[in-house]
Amino acid sequence: MLRLGYDERAAALLVFPVVAVLLVVAAFPILYSFWISLHDVVLTRPLRRPFVGLDNYLRVFADERFWIAVARTTVYTVVTVAATTVLAVLVALLLNEAFPGQRLLNALLLLPWATPSVVNGLMWKWIYDPSYGLLNGLLVQLGVLERYRAWLGDPDLTLLLIANAAVWKQMPLAALLLIVTMKAIPEDLYRAAKVDGAGTFRRFLHVTLPALRPGLMLVLVYETMISIRHFDLFLIMTQGGPGDASFTLSWFIYVETFRSLRFGTGAALSYILAMATFLLSYLFIRFLGRRL
Amino acid sequence: MAGVLARRGLLAATGSAAALGAAGLGARAARAQAGGTVNFIGWSAAVDQVRAQISAFERATGIRVNYENFPWAQFRTALVTRLVGNAPIDVSWISDAWLPEFAEAGWLANIDDIPELMKYNAEAAEYCTQSMRYRGRQYGLAYYGDHMSFMVNAELLQRAGIPQPPATWDEVVQASLRIKQQGIAEYPLLLSLAADTWLIEFVSALVFSHGGRFVDERGEAVMADPARGAVRAARFLREAIHTHRIVSPGAVETAEINGLRAFGSGAHAFAIVPTYRIRALNDPSQSQAAGRIRLALMPKGGPEGTNETCGWIRFYGMTPGAKNDRARRERAARFIEFFGGRDTAGNYSMQKLLLTDLGLPFCTLPLNQDPEVQGFWTRWAGEGGGAVIAAQSARTRKKDVISPWFGEWVETANQAWQSVCLGRAEPEAAMRAAAAKWTELRRAFR
């Protein structure tokens, strides 16, 4: 039998309140929402909530909207994560150099990240506005466009435009994480590479990039988790439209849960999304992490 | 010494004032205690007017009111979660679109056995009363009732040499093309087709004026029927956007409030707008087109076309929790009467206040004879504007898709309409998808 000493007992006592709070506010809701996902819970029919087992999951998989949402979410996540990562690497490379105004640029870089998500969404919605938007005004004045156009009303562009708004906000944090990683690269490696005759590009390819792997993995995992579950921009900018152009998984969950008030299928969808997020993160860590 | 006395005097005066204040507060609390409390929940509209009426109600009855409000976009969800959680709500604003699902869920109490409320049916527009009825029972008194109106910018029509507002949707197309060719407006017809709660009301107005229906009298989906369904209206929309280019492709991201602003900017000749917006549109402090916006009957669409439009009402509903408790029921009934009927002085004060302050039309027939009300319509809708509103009211239908599954079906329907507007779906196919969802939900409800 395990016998705890005074220190262990004191530690357990001190940790207990936090564990209790976590059980109440995290573990219980997670388990309860799984329980709900096994029932046909429709809020507008409060007197019936039959146990349906995995029917909600099967119903979701059989729903054409689910596969539309999966496709939209995949496109959005790939575009957002790729653009964020590439831009963050470029910005990190720039800010890792010493030049006049570098500190100011460092501070300015953080502004988008510090902007609240709702403000970010509204700002970009106004920029894309078909009647008075900045983008239209700029492109018409530059002669690129003949007349104003409805950017977010074009289903071929909607996801990309929302992704652009997301990248604008998320890139600074990713760049910051990469700068921190870059600062840790020993200067000797660059000197040695120079001595060996490596140019700027080869130094980036053979010194910087391999050393950036831990930071890149962190950025990839974090950005994927954020993008795959992104909701606020879709709520503010397009409400899943036009048509189903921005009908992503998180939007589907919102519609099913808070508009159709089908909490059973909403919970099932949430679990599917959570599992997908977990699986992707696991794969990133498993395959990228092994090379670290 | 004098200083000490002065300080004592000040302390005494302060103490007395505090005591008097406390006594006053105590008396008010006691009155409120004696009168009890009504818990009222509404969406964030007409907040100042509601607060003013609440003050009048509290003064007149001694009943205190706890008033909460939430944004319209989140209201249904906020209300449902409170009702599911048995929150102590006595009275709530309800949309006619939610009535069947709320009544089926047991969240609304009928008022058939409350004669002091039912007596107002004698003075209410029949359409309004019908909109508050479900399965033969009535569930409240009207907050306001309105319909979609066809509005024109008289100045743009005059500049284009169009003497009369068009009477059919074909004429709207011809007039719009003329306006467009003359360079007066790029998109003469303004439609707000964002996928929000207003979309079904806009498209219902189009469907009804094209002589179509979403469902028949038995509740069967006929929206995909080319002869009597919504297909003609859907085809009109698609052609207006993609063939004639008289409606902006940006209509799919234009919410009702943005449409109002765009029409008020004077950039469009025709629009479908809720009638109550006429006040804002002709108010120089809110609209650049002020004084130029006039009302016309909803144009007829095609050979089966009518001047019919879509109407809606919002009403004061009582919860079963309030109705089942005698004291709460009495207080809630007095509240509903004061707001949705006559106040204690015998006036329809709330309805008049909502009209004169915000332009919200009422369901109360006697008020139509009120000189102030007539003056209001003449001022904001122009000479004859009141008559057009009355004529359109007589040709107003409530949404035929109101059902216990409306909230779920409308998500699919909105997507179908937007797909048509984007040119991504044939009108027939889109309406078939909406009809299939309707049938599926209807079967599941049984």
PDB file of all heavy atoms in Angstrom, chain A residues 43-45 147 150 152-153 155-156 242-243 247 258-262, chain B residues 76-77 80 101 105 107 186 250 253 408 411 415 418 422 424 445:
ATOM      1  N   LEU A  43     -33.534  21.522 -27.976  1.00  0.00           N
ATOM      2  CA  LEU A  43     -33.968  22.403 -26.886  1.00  0.00           C
ATOM      3  C   LEU A  43     -35.440  22.792 -26.989  1.00  0.00           C
ATOM      4  O   LEU A  43     -36.094  23.025 -25.989  1.00  0.00           O
ATOM      5  CB  LEU A  43     -33.089  23.663 -26.882  1.00  0.00           C
ATOM      6  CG  LEU A  43     -32.507  24.048 -25.530  1.00  0.00           C
ATOM      7  CD1 LEU A  43     -31.807  22.895 -24.881  1.00  0.00           C
ATOM      8  CD2 LEU A  43     -31.566  25.228 -25.671  1.00  0.00           C
ATOM      9  N   THR A  44     -35.944  22.877 -28.225  1.00  0.00           N
ATOM     10  CA  THR A  44     -37.342  23.286 -28.379  1.00  0.00           C
ATOM     11  C   THR A  44     -38.316  22.138 -28.115  1.00  0.00           C
ATOM     12  O   THR A  44     -39.519  22.315 -28.199  1.00  0.00           O
ATOM     13  CB  THR A  44     -37.589  23.836 -29.795  1.00  0.00           C
ATOM     14  OG1 THR A  44     -37.070  22.914 -30.733  1.00  0.00           O
ATOM     15  CG2 THR A  44     -36.940  25.181 -29.976  1.00  0.00           C
ATOM     16  N   ARG A  45     -37.782  20.954 -27.829  1.00  0.00           N
ATOM     17  CA  ARG A  45     -38.649  19.833 -27.447  1.00  0.00           C
ATOM     18  C   ARG A  45     -38.155  19.305 -26.106  1.00  0.00           C
ATOM     19  O   ARG A  45     -37.585  18.205 -26.006  1.00  0.00           O
ATOM     20  CB  ARG A  45     -38.630  18.747 -28.527  1.00  0.00           C
ATOM     21  CG  ARG A  45     -39.030  19.329 -29.883  1.00  0.00           C
ATOM     22  CD  ARG A  45     -39.135  18.284 -30.947  1.00  0.00           C
ATOM     23  NE  ARG A  45     -40.349  17.505 -30.804  1.00  0.00           N
ATOM     24  CZ  ARG A  45     -40.710  16.534 -31.644  1.00  0.00           C
ATOM     25  NH1 ARG A  45     -39.944  16.232 -32.653  1.00  0.00           N
ATOM     26  NH2 ARG A  45     -41.831  15.879 -31.463  1.00  0.00           N
ATOM     27  N   ARG A 147     -14.955  49.399 -61.152  1.00  0.00           N
ATOM     28  CA  ARG A 147     -16.018  49.744 -60.209  1.00  0.00           C
ATOM     29  C   ARG A 147     -15.891  48.912 -58.939  1.00  0.00           C
ATOM     30  O   ARG A 147     -15.185  47.905 -58.931  1.00  0.00           O
ATOM     31  CB  ARG A 147     -17.389  49.533 -60.838  1.00  0.00           C
ATOM     32  CG  ARG A 147     -17.643  48.116 -61.336  1.00  0.00           C
ATOM     33  CD  ARG A 147     -19.096  47.936 -61.690  1.00  0.00           C
ATOM     34  NE  ARG A 147     -19.454  48.698 -62.865  1.00  0.00           N
ATOM     35  CZ  ARG A 147     -19.451  48.205 -64.113  1.00  0.00           C
ATOM     36  NH1 ARG A 147     -19.137  46.958 -64.311  1.00  0.00           N
ATOM     37  NH2 ARG A 147     -19.787  48.940 -65.148  1.00  0.00           N
ATOM     38  N   ALA A 150     -18.281  43.416 -54.719  1.00  0.00           N
ATOM     39  CA  ALA A 150     -18.651  42.807 -53.432  1.00  0.00           C
ATOM     40  C   ALA A 150     -17.670  41.685 -53.137  1.00  0.00           C
ATOM     41  O   ALA A 150     -17.872  40.544 -53.558  1.00  0.00           O
ATOM     42  CB  ALA A 150     -20.072  42.281 -53.496  1.00  0.00           C
ATOM     43  N   LEU A 152     -16.705  40.063 -50.293  1.00  0.00           N
ATOM     44  CA  LEU A 152     -17.167  38.935 -49.478  1.00  0.00           C
ATOM     45  C   LEU A 152     -18.394  38.263 -50.089  1.00  0.00           C
ATOM     46  O   LEU A 152     -18.790  37.183 -49.664  1.00  0.00           O
ATOM     47  CB  LEU A 152     -17.482  39.402 -48.049  1.00  0.00           C
ATOM     48  CG  LEU A 152     -16.271  39.772 -47.208  1.00  0.00           C
ATOM     49  CD1 LEU A 152     -16.696  40.392 -45.889  1.00  0.00           C
ATOM     50  CD2 LEU A 152     -15.374  38.567 -46.949  1.00  0.00           C
ATOM     51  N   GLY A 153     -19.007  38.914 -51.068  1.00  0.00           N
ATOM     52  CA  GLY A 153     -20.152  38.316 -51.754  1.00  0.00           C
ATOM     53  C   GLY A 153     -19.729  37.387 -52.875  1.00  0.00           C
ATOM     54  O   GLY A 153     -20.571  36.779 -53.521  1.00  0.00           O
ATOM     55  N   PRO A 155     -18.287  34.011 -53.735  1.00  0.00           N
ATOM     56  CA  PRO A 155     -18.001  32.753 -53.019  1.00  0.00           C
ATOM     57  C   PRO A 155     -16.624  32.163 -53.327  1.00  0.00           C
ATOM     58  O   PRO A 155     -16.105  31.375 -52.542  1.00  0.00           O
ATOM     59  CB  PRO A 155     -19.120  31.819 -53.487  1.00  0.00           C
ATOM     60  CG  PRO A 155     -19.737  32.458 -54.667  1.00  0.00           C
ATOM     61  CD  PRO A 155     -19.452  33.918 -54.604  1.00  0.00           C
ATOM     62  N   ASP A 156     -16.030  32.554 -54.466  1.00  0.00           N
ATOM     63  CA  ASP A 156     -14.689  32.026 -54.775  1.00  0.00           C
ATOM     64  C   ASP A 156     -13.604  32.698 -53.932  1.00  0.00           C
ATOM     65  O   ASP A 156     -12.505  32.165 -53.783  1.00  0.00           O
ATOM     66  CB  ASP A 156     -14.369  32.246 -56.261  1.00  0.00           C
ATOM     67  CG  ASP A 156     -15.284  31.414 -57.144  1.00  0.00           C
ATOM     68  OD1 ASP A 156     -15.703  30.331 -56.687  1.00  0.00           O
ATOM     69  OD2 ASP A 156     -15.611  31.860 -58.256  1.00  0.00           O
ATOM     70  N   PRO A 242     -21.355  33.808 -48.330  1.00  0.00           N
ATOM     71  CA  PRO A 242     -22.682  33.707 -48.976  1.00  0.00           C
ATOM     72  C   PRO A 242     -22.942  32.268 -49.423  1.00  0.00           C
ATOM     73  O   PRO A 242     -22.002  31.560 -49.795  1.00  0.00           O
ATOM     74  CB  PRO A 242     -22.540  34.636 -50.183  1.00  0.00           C
ATOM     75  CG  PRO A 242     -21.083  34.678 -50.473  1.00  0.00           C
ATOM     76  CD  PRO A 242     -20.377  34.512 -49.166  1.00  0.00           C
ATOM     77  N   GLY A 243     -24.197  31.878 -49.394  1.00  0.00           N
ATOM     78  CA  GLY A 243     -24.525  30.466 -49.650  1.00  0.00           C
ATOM     79  C   GLY A 243     -23.839  29.629 -48.595  1.00  0.00           C
ATOM     80  O   GLY A 243     -24.046  29.837 -47.400  1.00  0.00           O
ATOM     81  N   PHE A 247     -18.950  28.026 -44.932  1.00  0.00           N
ATOM     82  CA  PHE A 247     -19.616  27.121 -43.992  1.00  0.00           C
ATOM     83  C   PHE A 247     -18.588  26.125 -43.445  1.00  0.00           C
ATOM     84  O   PHE A 247     -18.391  25.041 -43.969  1.00  0.00           O
ATOM     85  CB  PHE A 247     -20.748  26.388 -44.719  1.00  0.00           C
ATOM     86  CG  PHE A 247     -21.713  25.692 -43.812  1.00  0.00           C
ATOM     87  CD1 PHE A 247     -22.781  26.369 -43.262  1.00  0.00           C
ATOM     88  CD2 PHE A 247     -21.553  24.351 -43.502  1.00  0.00           C
ATOM     89  CE1 PHE A 247     -23.673  25.715 -42.420  1.00  0.00           C
ATOM     90  CE2 PHE A 247     -22.437  23.697 -42.661  1.00  0.00           C
ATOM     91  CZ  PHE A 247     -23.508  24.382 -42.123  1.00  0.00           C
ATOM     92  N   PHE A 258     -26.842  26.539 -31.683  1.00  0.00           N
ATOM     93  CA  PHE A 258     -27.475  27.758 -31.178  1.00  0.00           C
ATOM     94  C   PHE A 258     -28.553  28.339 -32.085  1.00  0.00           C
ATOM     95  O   PHE A 258     -29.273  29.241 -31.682  1.00  0.00           O
ATOM     96  CB  PHE A 258     -26.403  28.817 -30.901  1.00  0.00           C
ATOM     97  CG  PHE A 258     -25.470  28.388 -29.803  1.00  0.00           C
ATOM     98  CD1 PHE A 258     -24.183  27.996 -30.080  1.00  0.00           C
ATOM     99  CD2 PHE A 258     -25.913  28.351 -28.489  1.00  0.00           C
ATOM    100  CE1 PHE A 258     -23.337  27.575 -29.080  1.00  0.00           C
ATOM    101  CE2 PHE A 258     -25.075  27.927 -27.478  1.00  0.00           C
ATOM    102  CZ  PHE A 258     -23.781  27.538 -27.770  1.00  0.00           C
ATOM    103  N   ARG A 259     -28.646  27.858 -33.306  1.00  0.00           N
ATOM    104  CA  ARG A 259     -29.746  28.323 -34.159  1.00  0.00           C
ATOM    105  C   ARG A 259     -30.819  27.246 -34.281  1.00  0.00           C
ATOM    106  O   ARG A 259     -31.985  27.505 -34.064  1.00  0.00           O
ATOM    107  CB  ARG A 259     -29.220  28.720 -35.528  1.00  0.00           C
ATOM    108  CG  ARG A 259     -28.447  30.024 -35.497  1.00  0.00           C
ATOM    109  CD  ARG A 259     -28.233  30.508 -36.902  1.00  0.00           C
ATOM    110  NE  ARG A 259     -27.620  31.809 -36.927  1.00  0.00           N
ATOM    111  CZ  ARG A 259     -27.218  32.402 -38.039  1.00  0.00           C
ATOM    112  NH1 ARG A 259     -27.378  31.812 -39.203  1.00  0.00           N
ATOM    113  NH2 ARG A 259     -26.668  33.587 -38.007  1.00  0.00           N
ATOM    114  N   SER A 260     -30.372  26.022 -34.621  1.00  0.00           N
ATOM    115  CA  SER A 260     -31.354  24.939 -34.702  1.00  0.00           C
ATOM    116  C   SER A 260     -31.660  24.376 -33.317  1.00  0.00           C
ATOM    117  O   SER A 260     -32.612  23.617 -33.155  1.00  0.00           O
ATOM    118  CB  SER A 260     -30.829  23.825 -35.605  1.00  0.00           C
ATOM    119  OG  SER A 260     -30.650  24.306 -36.922  1.00  0.00           O
ATOM    120  N   LEU A 261     -30.840  24.721 -32.352  1.00  0.00           N
ATOM    121  CA  LEU A 261     -30.994  24.290 -30.957  1.00  0.00           C
ATOM    122  C   LEU A 261     -30.960  22.761 -30.805  1.00  0.00           C
ATOM    123  O   LEU A 261     -31.581  22.195 -29.923  1.00  0.00           O
ATOM    124  CB  LEU A 261     -32.274  24.877 -30.346  1.00  0.00           C
ATOM    125  CG  LEU A 261     -32.339  26.412 -30.356  1.00  0.00           C
ATOM    126  CD1 LEU A 261     -33.712  26.909 -29.942  1.00  0.00           C
ATOM    127  CD2 LEU A 261     -31.287  27.005 -29.429  1.00  0.00           C
ATOM    128  N   ARG A 262     -30.233  22.125 -31.725  1.00  0.00           N
ATOM    129  CA  ARG A 262     -30.031  20.672 -31.647  1.00  0.00           C
ATOM    130  C   ARG A 262     -28.736  20.421 -30.886  1.00  0.00           C
ATOM    131  O   ARG A 262     -27.653  20.325 -31.471  1.00  0.00           O
ATOM    132  CB  ARG A 262     -29.919  20.076 -33.050  1.00  0.00           C
ATOM    133  CG  ARG A 262     -31.228  19.957 -33.769  1.00  0.00           C
ATOM    134  CD  ARG A 262     -31.069  19.178 -35.053  1.00  0.00           C
ATOM    135  NE  ARG A 262     -32.359  18.886 -35.626  1.00  0.00           N
ATOM    136  CZ  ARG A 262     -33.106  17.835 -35.272  1.00  0.00           C
ATOM    137  NH1 ARG A 262     -32.669  16.978 -34.371  1.00  0.00           N
ATOM    138  NH2 ARG A 262     -34.280  17.644 -35.826  1.00  0.00           N
TER     139      ARG A 262
ATOM    140  N   ARG B  76     -33.422  34.870 -29.529  1.00  0.00           N
ATOM    141  CA  ARG B  76     -34.143  33.592 -29.459  1.00  0.00           C
ATOM    142  C   ARG B  76     -33.367  32.584 -28.625  1.00  0.00           C
ATOM    143  O   ARG B  76     -33.926  31.920 -27.742  1.00  0.00           O
ATOM    144  CB  ARG B  76     -34.380  33.056 -30.869  1.00  0.00           C
ATOM    145  CG  ARG B  76     -35.046  31.705 -30.905  1.00  0.00           C
ATOM    146  CD  ARG B  76     -35.470  31.334 -32.313  1.00  0.00           C
ATOM    147  NE  ARG B  76     -35.681  29.913 -32.476  1.00  0.00           N
ATOM    148  CZ  ARG B  76     -34.747  29.053 -32.891  1.00  0.00           C
ATOM    149  NH1 ARG B  76     -33.542  29.503 -33.179  1.00  0.00           N
ATOM    150  NH2 ARG B  76     -35.002  27.782 -33.020  1.00  0.00           N
ATOM    151  N   THR B  77     -32.058  32.494 -28.883  1.00  0.00           N
ATOM    152  CA  THR B  77     -31.237  31.547 -28.124  1.00  0.00           C
ATOM    153  C   THR B  77     -31.202  31.927 -26.651  1.00  0.00           C
ATOM    154  O   THR B  77     -31.332  31.060 -25.770  1.00  0.00           O
ATOM    155  CB  THR B  77     -29.804  31.519 -28.689  1.00  0.00           C
ATOM    156  OG1 THR B  77     -29.882  31.328 -30.095  1.00  0.00           O
ATOM    157  CG2 THR B  77     -28.989  30.418 -28.073  1.00  0.00           C
ATOM    158  N   VAL B  80     -34.579  31.061 -25.111  1.00  0.00           N
ATOM    159  CA  VAL B  80     -34.785  29.613 -24.983  1.00  0.00           C
ATOM    160  C   VAL B  80     -33.966  29.049 -23.830  1.00  0.00           C
ATOM    161  O   VAL B  80     -34.473  28.268 -23.022  1.00  0.00           O
ATOM    162  CB  VAL B  80     -34.426  28.895 -26.315  1.00  0.00           C
ATOM    163  CG1 VAL B  80     -34.323  27.388 -26.100  1.00  0.00           C
ATOM    164  CG2 VAL B  80     -35.466  29.189 -27.377  1.00  0.00           C
ATOM    165  N   GLU B 101     -43.195  26.757 -32.172  1.00  0.00           N
ATOM    166  CA  GLU B 101     -42.208  25.952 -31.429  1.00  0.00           C
ATOM    167  C   GLU B 101     -42.246  26.263 -29.935  1.00  0.00           C
ATOM    168  O   GLU B 101     -42.097  25.371 -29.110  1.00  0.00           O
ATOM    169  CB  GLU B 101     -40.792  26.093 -32.006  1.00  0.00           C
ATOM    170  CG  GLU B 101     -40.109  27.412 -31.800  1.00  0.00           C
ATOM    171  CD  GLU B 101     -38.678  27.435 -32.376  1.00  0.00           C
ATOM    172  OE1 GLU B 101     -38.211  26.420 -32.923  1.00  0.00           O
ATOM    173  OE2 GLU B 101     -38.032  28.491 -32.275  1.00  0.00           O
ATOM    174  N   ALA B 105     -43.396  23.607 -27.095  1.00  0.00           N
ATOM    175  CA  ALA B 105     -42.445  23.314 -26.014  1.00  0.00           C
ATOM    176  C   ALA B 105     -43.034  23.627 -24.637  1.00  0.00           C
ATOM    177  O   ALA B 105     -42.421  23.309 -23.623  1.00  0.00           O
ATOM    178  CB  ALA B 105     -41.167  24.115 -26.225  1.00  0.00           C
ATOM    179  N   TRP B 107     -43.629  26.710 -23.468  1.00  0.00           N
ATOM    180  CA  TRP B 107     -42.976  27.891 -22.907  1.00  0.00           C
ATOM    181  C   TRP B 107     -43.867  29.125 -22.945  1.00  0.00           C
ATOM    182  O   TRP B 107     -43.492  30.167 -22.427  1.00  0.00           O
ATOM    183  CB  TRP B 107     -41.686  28.202 -23.677  1.00  0.00           C
ATOM    184  CG  TRP B 107     -40.637  27.171 -23.515  1.00  0.00           C
ATOM    185  CD1 TRP B 107     -40.436  26.362 -22.433  1.00  0.00           C
ATOM    186  CD2 TRP B 107     -39.632  26.821 -24.466  1.00  0.00           C
ATOM    187  NE1 TRP B 107     -39.363  25.541 -22.657  1.00  0.00           N
ATOM    188  CE2 TRP B 107     -38.846  25.803 -23.892  1.00  0.00           C
ATOM    189  CE3 TRP B 107     -39.308  27.269 -25.740  1.00  0.00           C
ATOM    190  CZ2 TRP B 107     -37.772  25.215 -24.534  1.00  0.00           C
ATOM    191  CZ3 TRP B 107     -38.237  26.701 -26.396  1.00  0.00           C
ATOM    192  CH2 TRP B 107     -37.475  25.680 -25.796  1.00  0.00           C
ATOM    193  N   GLU B 186     -26.343  52.670 -60.546  1.00  0.00           N
ATOM    194  CA  GLU B 186     -25.759  51.453 -61.113  1.00  0.00           C
ATOM    195  C   GLU B 186     -26.641  50.234 -60.836  1.00  0.00           C
ATOM    196  O   GLU B 186     -26.835  49.382 -61.687  1.00  0.00           O
ATOM    197  CB  GLU B 186     -24.369  51.229 -60.526  1.00  0.00           C
ATOM    198  CG  GLU B 186     -23.628  50.152 -61.273  1.00  0.00           C
ATOM    199  CD  GLU B 186     -22.256  49.888 -60.708  1.00  0.00           C
ATOM    200  OE1 GLU B 186     -21.850  50.590 -59.762  1.00  0.00           O
ATOM    201  OE2 GLU B 186     -21.588  48.980 -61.221  1.00  0.00           O
ATOM    202  N   GLY B 250     -23.589  42.261 -54.419  1.00  0.00           N
ATOM    203  CA  GLY B 250     -23.314  42.411 -52.985  1.00  0.00           C
ATOM    204  C   GLY B 250     -24.558  42.272 -52.126  1.00  0.00           C
ATOM    205  O   GLY B 250     -24.469  42.318 -50.904  1.00  0.00           O
ATOM    206  N   GLU B 253     -24.570  39.985 -49.156  1.00  0.00           N
ATOM    207  CA  GLU B 253     -23.934  40.355 -47.882  1.00  0.00           C
ATOM    208  C   GLU B 253     -24.526  41.642 -47.318  1.00  0.00           C
ATOM    209  O   GLU B 253     -23.952  42.275 -46.442  1.00  0.00           O
ATOM    210  CB  GLU B 253     -22.413  40.445 -48.027  1.00  0.00           C
ATOM    211  CG  GLU B 253     -21.922  41.367 -49.093  1.00  0.00           C
ATOM    212  CD  GLU B 253     -20.424  41.647 -48.956  1.00  0.00           C
ATOM    213  OE1 GLU B 253     -19.980  41.951 -47.846  1.00  0.00           O
ATOM    214  OE2 GLU B 253     -19.724  41.566 -49.970  1.00  0.00           O
ATOM    215  N   GLU B 408     -35.251  25.651 -37.674  1.00  0.00           N
ATOM    216  CA  GLU B 408     -34.278  24.753 -38.267  1.00  0.00           C
ATOM    217  C   GLU B 408     -34.350  24.813 -39.794  1.00  0.00           C
ATOM    218  O   GLU B 408     -33.330  24.824 -40.478  1.00  0.00           O
ATOM    219  CB  GLU B 408     -34.565  23.330 -37.775  1.00  0.00           C
ATOM    220  CG  GLU B 408     -33.331  22.530 -37.626  1.00  0.00           C
ATOM    221  CD  GLU B 408     -33.602  21.177 -37.027  1.00  0.00           C
ATOM    222  OE1 GLU B 408     -34.585  21.022 -36.271  1.00  0.00           O
ATOM    223  OE2 GLU B 408     -32.826  20.262 -37.325  1.00  0.00           O
ATOM    224  N   GLU B 411     -32.626  27.796 -41.879  1.00  0.00           N
ATOM    225  CA  GLU B 411     -31.188  27.759 -42.166  1.00  0.00           C
ATOM    226  C   GLU B 411     -30.945  27.202 -43.571  1.00  0.00           C
ATOM    227  O   GLU B 411     -30.165  27.757 -44.345  1.00  0.00           O
ATOM    228  CB  GLU B 411     -30.458  26.883 -41.140  1.00  0.00           C
ATOM    229  CG  GLU B 411     -30.490  27.406 -39.724  1.00  0.00           C
ATOM    230  CD  GLU B 411     -29.749  28.720 -39.550  1.00  0.00           C
ATOM    231  OE1 GLU B 411     -28.812  28.967 -40.323  1.00  0.00           O
ATOM    232  OE2 GLU B 411     -30.122  29.498 -38.657  1.00  0.00           O
ATOM    233  N   GLN B 415     -29.791  29.320 -47.144  1.00  0.00           N
ATOM    234  CA  GLN B 415     -28.679  28.890 -48.012  1.00  0.00           C
ATOM    235  C   GLN B 415     -29.158  28.681 -49.441  1.00  0.00           C
ATOM    236  O   GLN B 415     -28.465  29.025 -50.402  1.00  0.00           O
ATOM    237  CB  GLN B 415     -28.073  27.599 -47.485  1.00  0.00           C
ATOM    238  CG  GLN B 415     -26.999  27.838 -46.452  1.00  0.00           C
ATOM    239  CD  GLN B 415     -26.126  26.601 -46.227  1.00  0.00           C
ATOM    240  OE1 GLN B 415     -26.320  25.570 -46.844  1.00  0.00           O
ATOM    241  NE2 GLN B 415     -25.173  26.728 -45.330  1.00  0.00           N
ATOM    242  N   GLN B 418     -29.634  32.048 -51.103  1.00  0.00           N
ATOM    243  CA  GLN B 418     -28.345  32.676 -51.400  1.00  0.00           C
ATOM    244  C   GLN B 418     -27.654  31.982 -52.579  1.00  0.00           C
ATOM    245  O   GLN B 418     -27.024  32.643 -53.402  1.00  0.00           O
ATOM    246  CB  GLN B 418     -27.451  32.642 -50.163  1.00  0.00           C
ATOM    247  CG  GLN B 418     -27.868  33.673 -49.123  1.00  0.00           C
ATOM    248  CD  GLN B 418     -26.679  34.339 -48.481  1.00  0.00           C
ATOM    249  OE1 GLN B 418     -25.703  33.677 -48.155  1.00  0.00           O
ATOM    250  NE2 GLN B 418     -26.751  35.647 -48.282  1.00  0.00           N
ATOM    251  N   LEU B 422     -26.385  33.796 -55.920  1.00  0.00           N
ATOM    252  CA  LEU B 422     -24.993  33.711 -56.361  1.00  0.00           C
ATOM    253  C   LEU B 422     -24.868  33.058 -57.734  1.00  0.00           C
ATOM    254  O   LEU B 422     -23.769  32.998 -58.297  1.00  0.00           O
ATOM    255  CB  LEU B 422     -24.174  32.891 -55.355  1.00  0.00           C
ATOM    256  CG  LEU B 422     -23.974  33.530 -53.985  1.00  0.00           C
ATOM    257  CD1 LEU B 422     -23.464  32.497 -52.988  1.00  0.00           C
ATOM    258  CD2 LEU B 422     -22.992  34.689 -54.087  1.00  0.00           C
ATOM    259  N   ARG B 424     -25.262  29.945 -58.169  1.00  0.00           N
ATOM    260  CA  ARG B 424     -24.647  28.639 -57.942  1.00  0.00           C
ATOM    261  C   ARG B 424     -25.668  27.499 -57.993  1.00  0.00           C
ATOM    262  O   ARG B 424     -25.295  26.331 -57.930  1.00  0.00           O
ATOM    263  CB  ARG B 424     -23.979  28.617 -56.556  1.00  0.00           C
ATOM    264  CG  ARG B 424     -22.811  29.562 -56.446  1.00  0.00           C
ATOM    265  CD  ARG B 424     -21.567  28.804 -56.756  1.00  0.00           C
ATOM    266  NE  ARG B 424     -20.444  29.664 -56.985  1.00  0.00           N
ATOM    267  CZ  ARG B 424     -19.245  29.457 -56.473  1.00  0.00           C
ATOM    268  NH1 ARG B 424     -19.040  28.457 -55.673  1.00  0.00           N
ATOM    269  NH2 ARG B 424     -18.244  30.250 -56.775  1.00  0.00           N
ATOM    270  N   PHE B 445     -41.062  15.754 -36.902  1.00  0.00           N
ATOM    271  CA  PHE B 445     -41.808  16.370 -35.799  1.00  0.00           C
ATOM    272  C   PHE B 445     -42.967  15.495 -35.346  1.00  0.00           C
ATOM    273  O   PHE B 445     -43.311  15.445 -34.177  1.00  0.00           O
ATOM    274  CB  PHE B 445     -42.318  17.742 -36.224  1.00  0.00           C
ATOM    275  CG  PHE B 445     -42.968  18.489 -35.105  1.00  0.00           C
ATOM    276  CD1 PHE B 445     -42.203  19.096 -34.127  1.00  0.00           C
ATOM    277  CD2 PHE B 445     -44.346  18.551 -34.993  1.00  0.00           C
ATOM    278  CE1 PHE B 445     -42.787  19.763 -33.070  1.00  0.00           C
ATOM    279  CE2 PHE B 445     -44.949  19.214 -33.939  1.00  0.00           C
ATOM    280  CZ  PHE B 445     -44.159  19.819 -32.986  1.00  0.00           C
TER     281      PHE B 445
END
